[in-house]
Amino acid sequence: MKQLFYLSVILNAGSAGPHSFNDMETPDVPPQPARRNFIKKACSVVVGAVAGLVPAVSGLIVFLDPLRRKSEDSDAVLVASLNSLPKDGVPRKFSVVAGHTDAWNRMPRVPVGAVYLRRLGDGQVLAFNVICPHAGCFVDYEPSKKSYHCPCHNSSFALDGKIADPKSPSPRGLDELQVEIRNGDEIWVKFQNFRAGVSEKIPA
């Protein structure tokens, strides 16, 4: 009987051992995709940001380009020669032909305005924009009066560009432009338009 008892104990212990050992083993952990998904999302965000910068930078270049081109348009241009001006100081009107560029088009040689040039006694040249500062009309030179006259609202200006008649509606005198004499005879003018209707000389 004792032998049968011991045999049953050994058999029970043997059958229980593997189950106890298996219970102590660490169960299989399923793969975790969270980290992989995070990396994919982060890469997508970076790629999207870089792709979005391309049109933004391009738009900024287009926006700033007209400003750069406007500064190019304001450079001095060759208008006439000293020999084309009377030595007695009578003003002469000249068209200003220069390269002009806007936001979309570049035109190499087009009329951009006109100026009055007047030769002074010391070899210098006085230049005025032909546009009246009152309302933007073109002024005429009247030799009989030796003055400039605006036909739109009867503003009058002296040879030096100052207002000749206090009753003139123009808020300021004619807009003088910068002049350079190059190569001894060439008259270069920095052509520029200014805002009309105000007393200050403000670039348009």
Side-chain angles (χ1 to χ4, degrees):
M1 293 296 291
K2 291 183 178 180
Q3 293 178 349
L4 291 175
F5 174 77
Y6 290 144
L7 181 60
S8 63
V9 171
I10 292 172
L11 291 175
N12 291 332
S15 60
H19 293 288
S20 300
F21 179 77
N22 290 336
D23 292 341
M24 295 175 60
E25 290 181 350
T26 303
D28 294 336
V29 179
Q32 301 294 328
R35 182 178 179 183
R36 189 174 301 172
N37 291 338
F38 173 78
I39 294 176
K40 289 182 179 180
K41 291 180 180 180
C43 292
S44 299
V45 171
V46 172
V47 172
V50 173
L53 284 176
V54 174
V57 173
S58 301
L60 183 61
I61 293 174
V62 172
F63 176 76
L64 294 178
D65 195 47
L67 300 180
R68 177 184 61 83
R69 292 175 177 178
K70 185 176 181 180
S71 65
E72 291 177 353
D73 291 343
S74 64
D75 292 339
V77 295
L78 177 61
V79 175
S81 65
L82 282 175
N83 294 330
S84 62
L85 297 181
K87 294 182 180 181
D88 58 1
V90 175
R92 285 195 61 188
K93 184 178 179 180
F94 294 88
S95 295
V96 178
V97 179
H100 175 71
T101 305
D102 57 23
W104 298 276
N105 303 306
R106 184 183 295 273
M107 295 160 281
R109 298 281 295 176
V110 294
V112 295
V115 295
Y116 280 108
L117 298 181
R118 178 172 174 254
R119 190 170 184 172
L120 303 179
D122 55 358
Q124 299 298 312
V125 174
L126 191 62
F128 294 114
N129 195 319
V130 301
I131 296 179
C132 179
H134 176 226
C137 298
F138 285 5
V139 299
D140 299 321
Y141 175 70
E142 297 184 343
S144 59
K145 297 181 179 180
K146 295 183 179 181
S147 63
Y148 302 97
H149 177 260
C150 178
C152 292
H153 304 96
N154 293 321
S155 292
S156 59
F157 309 91
L159 282 176
D160 59 2
K162 296 180 180 179
I163 296 176
D165 185 353
K167 296 180 180 180
S168 295
S170 178
R172 64 178 186 271
L174 292 177
D175 294 320
E176 184 177 351
L177 303 174
Q178 296 182 18
V179 178
E180 296 179 23
I181 306 298
R182 301 180 185 178
N183 302 319
D185 186 55
E186 299 175 349
I187 303 174
W188 291 73
V189 178
K190 186 175 181 181
F191 182 78
Q192 201 171 7
N193 288 316
F194 298 89
R195 190 181 302 176
V198 294
S199 58
E200 297 83 6
K201 188 178 176 181
I202 303 174

